[in-house]
Amino acid sequence: MASAAAAVVTLNVGGERFQTTTATLSRAGPSSPLSSLVPSSPSAPHFLDGDPRLFAQLLSFLRHGRLPSPAPPSAALLAEARRFALDGALFASISPASAFAPLSLRPSALLPLAGRAAPSAVAVCASPPHPASLVAAHGGVVTCFDAALATRTSVLTPLPAVDSLVAVSTALALAGARDFPGVHLCRFSDDAPAAAVPDVLSWPDSPSATVLSMVATAASGAPSAPWLFASFESARRNSSAIVAFDLNSLSPVAEIGRKEVFGADVEAAIPATKLGWLREHNLLLAAGSHSSPGGVVGDIRLWDVRASVTVPVWEVREKEDCFADVSASDALSALFKVGAASGEVFMADLRRLGNGGGIGLEPWVCIGDRQRAAAAASSRRKEGNGCKIECYCNWVFVARGADVEVWSQVELAPEAGGKKVMKGNWVGSGPSMEVGTGGEAVKEKAKIVSWAFGGSRMALARADKRSVEVWDSAPAAICANT
C-alpha cells in the first residue's frame, strides 16, 4: 500500500484537482511533459494551466487507451493534446491501420504548401508515437504536418528538388535527390538528434554519390533496429551500392549489392531505383531498370539482411514487359509489379521464389488482363510508363495517371474451388471522379507523382498542384483543412 501511495500524482489543472499514478502518466511517452511528473501530495499538487474539462478527457485516454466519447475529437481537444505531445497517439487511436478500407477512402483535407513549387514527394511516419504525421517535399523545402494536420513546420534544404523522402518522426525526416549528393537530415524540433550528428549521410566510399531511393525499417523489424537503407550512385555513374545506416546513431553499418560498370556492360550494373522492406520476412527489395534502343531491361533482387549481404537470396532479370514499378507485400507474401509495356499488374508468390528462383526464371503471374499482357510483351508499347505501385496492409495500389486502382485478395465460393484470387477496383468513383477540396472540386485531376499510406489515410501529391490531398477511410476521420 505504501508503494502504491508513493506513486500517486496530484494535479491542479485550471483550479480543478486530479489524482492519477506515475504509471498512467508514463503512457504519454518520453516526449510528453506528463511522463516526467513525480509523485506529489494533495497539499502540494503540480499545477498545470489548462482547461480541466479537456484534461479530464486526455487523462481518460491515458487510462483506457480511448476517448470517453466515440465522436471525433474537437479542435480544442487536439490543441490541448499537442501541448502534452499526445496528438499523435490520440489520432492513432481513432485512425488506426485496422480501420483502413480502400473502397471507403474519400478526400478529407487539402493541405496547401507555401512557395511556388509543387510537391515532389510525400511520406507518412509509420513509427510510434507519431504514426500518422505527414511530410511533404516541395522544391528544396520539406514540410512536416502533425497527425491532426493542424500545425506544420518547414525546413529549407540545399537540394534543388527532393526525389526520395522518409519520415522518421515529427522531429526528423530524411531527404535525397538524384542530382545532389547525400541524404539530408531535416530536423523539425529540438527532439531531433543532437547537433553533433552530421547533417548529411553519405556513401563512405563515394561522398559525392547521389541518392536514388530510400526505405526505413520499423524498430522491431530490423536486424539492428531501426535501419535506413539508401541506394547511392556515384557522380560519374560508374558504381552504385545500397548503404544501411543505424537510425539511432545515423552511422553507416553495412554495404549491400555494390555494382561497378566495366566497359559497355551497363545492364550488369543497373543501380537500385526502388527499395522496399518486408518486415516479417526480413528481406530488402532492390529493383532498377535501364532503357536502351533494344527496350527496357531491369533486375529485381531480394536480400536477407540477417545473413551475408554479399549475395542476394533471389534475383530475376527482366526483359519482356519489364516492370514500370515494383512493390512488396508482407501481408500477402508476394511481390507485385506493373508491366512497363502492358500496364497490367503481375504477382510473384514469395513462398515459391526459393524453389530454384534465379536469373532467367519467370516468376510472374498476371492478375490483370492476360491477353493484353501477352500482346504487349512482344510489342514496343509503353502503356505502363509512369504507373506507380505500392502495397499497404492487405491491399495493392496502382496509380494510373491521375487515378488510383486497388487490388485485394478475395476467396471464391466453395463451388468455385474456394481458392484465393486478386480482384481490382477503383478507389473512389473511378477515373471520372471529382476530388473534393474542402467545399470545392477539382474537375481536371493532375497526374499522381508521389503517394504514401499510414493509419487510415492515403496522401497524394499531384503534378503542378501546390498542395497535398489527404484521403481518409476512418469512420471518425478528422476533416481538417490547413
Side-chain angles (χ1 to χ4, degrees), residues 24-419:
T24 297
L25 296 178
S26 67
R27 295 171 189 159
S31 61
S32 172
L34 295 177
S35 62
S36 62
L37 295 178
V38 297
S40 57
S41 65
S43 60
H46 295 286
F47 177 74
L48 300 177
D49 187 11
D51 187 327
R53 294 170 301 175
L54 298 177
F55 186 81
Q57 295 182 61
L58 295 179
L59 189 57
S60 177
F61 171 70
L62 291 177
R63 285 169 174 158
H64 307 291
R66 62 182 184 276
L67 290 172
S69 169
S74 64
L77 181 60
L78 287 171
E80 193 75 357
R82 280 194 296 278
R83 286 185 56 205
F84 300 110
L86 281 172
D87 52 320
L90 188 63
F91 185 87
S93 71
I94 63 170
S95 179
S98 59
F100 186 83
L103 298 182
S104 299
L105 281 169
R106 292 294 182 271
S108 62
L110 188 71
L111 308 176
L113 299 170
R116 298 181 179 180
S120 56
V122 292
V124 173
C125 181
S127 300
H130 308 289
S133 55
L134 172 67
V135 179
H138 42 116
V141 179
V142 177
T143 297
C144 179
F145 297 86
D146 68 355
L149 309 179
T151 62
R152 69 175 76 191
T153 306
S154 295
V155 171
L156 177 62
T157 74
L159 303 174
V162 176
D163 301 315
S164 304
L165 190 63
V166 169
V168 179
S169 69
T170 52
L172 178 66
L174 306 172
R178 298 189 178 195
D179 56 358
F180 205 89
V183 176
H184 292 255
L185 276 66
C186 304
R187 298 184 176 95
F188 302 109
S189 77
D190 295 336
D191 296 331
V197 175
D199 291 327
V200 181
L201 308 180
S202 302
W203 180 11
D205 285 358
S206 183
S208 61
T210 59
V211 178
L212 303 180
S213 180
M214 295 189 294
V215 68
T217 71
S220 60
S224 180
W227 277 16
L228 168 76
F229 296 99
S231 175
F232 287 94
E233 185 177 41
S234 65
R236 298 178 64 183
R237 297 188 175 180
N238 60 351
S239 62
S240 64
I242 301 167
V243 180
F245 297 88
D246 185 326
L247 277 178
N248 290 324
S249 63
L250 295 175
S251 58
V253 293
E255 182 181 287
I256 303 170
R258 184 176 185 131
K259 296 181 179 180
E260 304 281 353
V261 177
F262 297 103
D265 192 12
V266 177
E267 292 182 3
I270 299 173
T273 55
K274 176 69 178 281
L275 298 178
W277 175 247
L278 286 155
R279 174 178 172 176
E280 299 301 323
H281 296 76
N282 267 292
L283 291 175
L284 174 67
L285 165 70
S289 61
H290 171 72
S291 182
S292 67
V296 182
V297 178
D299 62 44
I300 302 172
R301 301 185 177 192
L302 293 175
W303 304 85
D304 186 344
V305 296
R306 297 168 299 184
S308 169
V309 293
T310 58
V311 180
V313 296
W314 177 83
E315 63 179 315
V316 65
R317 174 63 55 84
E318 297 216 314
K319 292 187 177 181
E320 292 188 1
D321 204 4
C322 179
F323 60 88
D325 195 15
V326 61
S327 187
S329 171
D330 250 332
L332 300 174
S333 293
L335 302 181
F336 294 88
K337 75 166 185 176
V338 179
S342 65
E344 295 299 326
V345 182
F346 297 79
M347 175 179 178
D349 192 332
L350 282 175
R351 292 162 293 189
R352 298 180 180 178
L353 296 184
N355 299 326
I359 296 177
L361 180 68
E362 176 55 58
W364 300 107
V365 174
C366 180
I367 60 175
D369 188 328
R370 298 186 180 184
Q371 292 183 344
R372 183 185 180 92
S378 58
S379 71
R380 291 187 175 273
R381 288 189 293 179
K382 298 181 179 180
E383 298 190 18
N385 265 11
C387 289
K388 300 180 182 297
I389 190 166
E390 203 63 56
C391 300
Y392 181 61
C393 296
N394 297 314
W395 298 278
V396 182
F397 295 84
V398 181
R400 299 187 182 277
D403 304 293
V404 179
E405 183 183 46
V406 59
W407 290 83
S408 56
Q409 191 177 70
V410 298
E411 187 171 347
L412 298 179
E415 56 269 21
K419 65 178 182 178

Side-chain angles (χ1 to χ4, degrees), residues 431-457:
S432 62
M433 180 180 181
E434 294 184 357
V435 179
T437 58
E440 301 179 358
V442 178
K443 295 184 180 180
E444 295 183 4
K445 294 186 292 180
K447 177 183 177 181
I448 296 169
V449 296
S450 182
W451 56 355
F453 301 84
S456 63
R457 62 172 47 148

